[in-house]
Amino acid sequence: MKDPWGRCLRQLTGLFQSLERETQKVVRVVQALETRRVEEQKKKESRKSNVATEVKELPAENLYDELACPKLEIRHVHKLYDAIAPQWDRTRYKGWPRVDDFIVSVCRSNAPSPLIADLGCGNGKYMHHNNGLVIGCDISSQLVQICRIKGFDAQVGDALNAPYRR
């Protein structure tokens, strides 16, 4: 007759060995995740210090200089809007009620066909008013392309230096 306790002990030993192997796997995964978290934290801190360094490199009086400001803006603002343009269009489709009311009041004024310039028009959420001539400009070429697809008159330009005649 075979020893039933021996068989039971062998099975328990096998279970404990399997449990130990799985525990070691979990420990390795947790260590890898912790290492990744620490690396990502270092990257974030490095990015923060790089941005701080970039801003410090530009003297405060030159932040609005035509040669210094665009480099900073292009790197951190313009490229962002170009990258998020499709999501921006899907989530920013409805205008603010007071702005819409203002545009409607201008369009209903006694002027035969008012000219409305939407500087920083984004995806054109305020350009749908057809009682007046609405033109727009935005720094993001991708958002301007979305406006054009919607049939609006928009062009790429800086609102601080509008691409229209005075």
Side-chain angles (χ1 to χ4, degrees):
M1 181 166 167
K2 294 185 181 180
D3 182 16
W5 290 109
R7 181 176 165 208
C8 184
L9 287 175
R10 284 190 300 277
Q11 287 177 340
L12 282 174
T13 302
L15 285 173
F16 282 121
Q17 288 172 346
S18 295
L19 183 61
E20 187 175 335
R21 283 191 304 271
E22 294 302 315
T23 302
Q24 289 172 353
K25 288 180 187 178
V26 170
V27 167
R28 284 193 298 271
V29 168
V30 168
Q31 288 172 341
L33 289 173
E34 180 63 19
T35 302
R36 186 181 303 162
R37 187 190 65 78
V38 169
E39 288 172 359
E40 287 176 2
Q41 185 66 29
K42 286 179 183 178
K43 284 181 185 178
K44 282 183 183 178
E45 290 172 6
S46 173
R47 278 189 228 133
K48 285 180 184 177
S49 66
N50 287 344
V51 169
T53 303
E54 290 171 7
V55 172
K56 287 178 188 174
E57 289 173 3
L58 296 172
E61 62 272 6
N62 288 342
L63 283 178
Y64 295 98
D65 181 67
E66 287 186 19
L67 297 176
C69 186
K71 291 177 187 175
L72 185 66
E73 274 191 34
I74 288 169
R75 191 176 306 126
H76 299 290
V77 179
H78 305 173
K79 287 184 180 178
L80 171 74
Y81 280 107
D82 280 342
I84 66 169
Q87 296 88 348
W88 185 269
D89 185 45
R90 283 194 302 273
T91 60
R92 308 304 196 286
Y93 53 87
K94 185 176 180 191
W96 294 345
R98 288 190 179 181
V99 175
D100 274 329
D101 291 345
F102 172 76
I103 295 171
V104 167
S105 72
V106 169
C107 290
R108 288 184 182 159
S109 68
N110 292 334
S113 182
L115 171 64
I116 300 171
D118 188 351
L119 304 179
C121 64
N123 63 345
K125 67 181 172 186
Y126 296 111
M127 296 180 71
H128 63 278
H129 300 281
N130 57 7
N131 292 0
L133 175 61
V134 181
I135 56 175
C137 80
D138 199 277
I139 201 70
S140 168
S141 61
Q142 298 300 312
L143 287 169
V144 167
Q145 186 63 29
I146 289 170
C147 287
R148 289 177 180 165
I149 289 170
K150 293 178 179 180
F152 301 138
D153 182 12
Q155 58 185 326
V156 176
D158 188 344
L160 297 175
N161 190 13
Y164 305 109
R165 259 187 359 200
R166 295 177 190 208

